[in-house]
Amino acid sequence: LLDDLSQELEVMEESAGDVLASYLDGYRTMAMVNMMVFVVILAMLAAGCAYHVDHKQDKQAAIDQSKNKVVEKMDQQEMLFATLANTFRRDHLLVGIMYKHRKMTREKRVWTVLLSWLVTEAVATVMAAELKFKVERHFVAVGLVAGVLVFPFTQFVQFLYEWRPQTRIHSQPPLGSTPAKPIPLKQQTHIGHLDRPRRPAIPAQVQPPPRAAPPR
């Protein structure tokens, strides 16, 4: 959002009036659009490369698929540093882009970084235009404040990707899902004769009960 021209002409901007101010606004707008287009194109290329790498490492085990989050070491200090390194490789947005993940893939990490950068640009623009921050003099501090404000949003987007419900996909169908095959005739067990119980004979004509008989 900033350039060297606005810093060099800061003294002239106060005395030149509306003409120079309108020129500087147009110049900054074009510089912002050019930077955004360049970053979006760069992010698209990075996302394509990330998708290609993930597809190439399809048979490799994902780092977040293991349930052991603590690295076992004999020394306590070595175990602490090994566990921290494993946590960064598994959960960090930028460090984890070098390793394969099951849910938060490299492509999704690139899009998350791009979204965070765009939101940071928007927050910095609001701070400069609406809140009247001295962006030309303190652009580093304004950028840091905007990044700190956007950090919870970045963590929320990463949380949505990592904790979304997803069915585990197997490379081969499990044994329970295979269709049943017919049993060969030689392996079939022949069932012998079954003894069925004899039923009592039913009379051809049923005589009604006598009239003096008690009701049933």
Side-chain angles (χ1 to χ4, degrees):
L1 301 177
L2 303 177
D3 47 62
D4 296 335
L5 180 61
S6 61
Q7 296 181 1
E8 295 176 359
L9 301 180
E10 182 179 0
V11 179
M12 297 180 59
E13 185 178 3
E14 296 179 356
S15 59
D18 298 336
V19 179
L20 184 59
S22 61
Y23 172 75
L24 287 176
D25 292 337
Y27 184 82
R28 293 173 185 172
T29 304
M30 293 303 297
M32 181 179 62
V33 171
N34 294 335
M35 179 59 67
M36 292 180 62
V37 171
F38 174 76
V39 172
V40 170
I41 294 175
L42 186 64
M44 293 177 64
L45 295 176
C49 296
Y51 177 80
H52 175 71
V53 174
D54 282 337
H55 184 71
K56 189 176 181 181
Q57 298 178 353
D58 190 17
K59 297 182 180 180
Q60 183 179 354
I63 191 175
D64 57 345
Q65 199 167 1
S66 176
K67 297 182 179 179
N68 297 329
K69 296 183 179 181
V70 178
V71 180
E72 298 294 338
K73 294 288 183 180
M74 297 298 297
D75 189 9
Q76 296 292 334
Q77 188 174 2
E78 292 181 1
M79 184 173 65
L80 174 62
F81 286 108
T83 304
L84 288 177
N86 186 37
T87 304
F88 270 89
R89 290 193 298 267
R90 187 183 66 249
D91 299 331
H92 197 271
L93 183 62
L94 298 179
V95 179
I97 202 171
M98 297 183 293
Y99 303 92
K100 181 184 177 181
H101 291 72
R102 186 168 62 95
K103 290 186 177 181
M104 193 67 179
T105 59
R106 293 183 175 93
E107 180 187 1
K108 295 181 178 62
R109 291 175 182 271
V110 171
W111 294 125
T112 304
V113 172
L114 176 63
L115 182 62
S116 301
W117 180 81
L118 293 176
V119 176
T120 305
E121 291 279 350
V123 172
T125 304
V126 171
M127 294 172 66
E130 299 295 333
L131 302 179
K132 306 301 181 181
F133 278 49
K134 299 294 182 180
V135 184
E136 291 82 0
R137 298 180 181 179
H138 309 288
F139 59 93
V140 177
V142 173
L144 290 176
V145 172
V148 170
L149 294 177
V150 176
F151 179 75
F153 173 77
T154 305
Q155 295 298 312
F156 178 70
V157 174
Q158 188 175 358
F159 170 80
L160 292 180
Y161 275 121
E162 290 182 352
W163 292 94
R164 61 174 180 164
Q166 183 179 6
T167 306
R168 182 174 297 180
I169 301 175
H170 299 274
S171 58
Q172 296 180 356
L175 298 179
S177 300
T178 55
K181 297 181 181 180
I183 303 176
L185 295 178
K186 296 181 179 180
Q187 299 179 3
Q188 293 182 5
T189 303
H190 296 281
I191 303 176
H193 179 70
L194 297 178
D195 295 333
R196 297 182 179 180
R198 296 181 179 180
R199 296 181 179 180
I202 301 176
Q205 184 178 1
V206 179
Q207 297 180 0
R211 297 181 179 179
R216 298 181 180 179

